[in-house]
Amino acid sequence: MSLTEIPATTAEVIAIRPGPPLAGAVTVDGSKNAALPLLAAAAALRRPVQLSNVPTSADVQAMVTLVQQAGHRLARTVGEPSTVLFMGGGIGTIAPEWFETAGRIGDFHRHIQG
């Protein structure tokens, strides 16, 4: 009978000892999936709304453009580009080429239809 030698392994051990409670703040990046329905809801209100921590993804930018095409006035603030300001507005006419763009936005119909 032959014996097979098993190589020695080393494992890192992290010791966790109780200490004082943690305190502080953590900033979490904005979520496209959270921003899209909020943009649609803000447009439906037709009054001034400020949304913070809005990501600059392609889907969010497409939604911002669609909302602008629909006649809403909105802008990203200079000092904080993750903030979108809705300044009210009405319903305009969306150019036909934007319907294709709307179809490419993840879950677009779900955001608009509720």
Side-chain angles (χ1 to χ4, degrees):
M1 176 196 250
S2 69
L3 296 174
T4 304
E5 191 172 315
I6 300 174
T9 59
T10 58
E12 280 190 42
V13 176
I14 299 174
I16 300 174
R17 294 186 175 88
L22 297 176
V26 175
T27 301
V28 178
D29 290 339
S31 164
K32 172 195 82 160
N33 292 330
L36 292 174
L38 290 172
L39 289 165
L45 290 174
R46 296 186 185 164
R47 63 184 178 98
V49 174
Q50 177 179 324
L51 298 175
S52 300
N53 207 16
V54 177
T56 56
S57 71
D59 282 353
V60 169
Q61 188 53 46
M63 182 70 143
V64 165
T65 302
L66 285 168
V67 169
Q68 289 173 322
Q69 284 279 321
H72 296 277
R73 296 178 303 131
L74 55 106
R76 288 190 181 263
T77 59
V78 176
E80 291 190 38
S82 65
T83 299
V84 176
L85 298 173
F86 278 78
M87 296 166 274
I91 300 299
T93 303
I94 297 177
E97 62 269 16
W98 281 102
F99 287 106
E100 183 180 333
T101 300
R104 289 193 306 259
I105 296 175
D107 298 326
F108 177 76
H109 296 355
R110 184 174 59 92
H111 299 307
I112 298 300
Q113 295 173 355

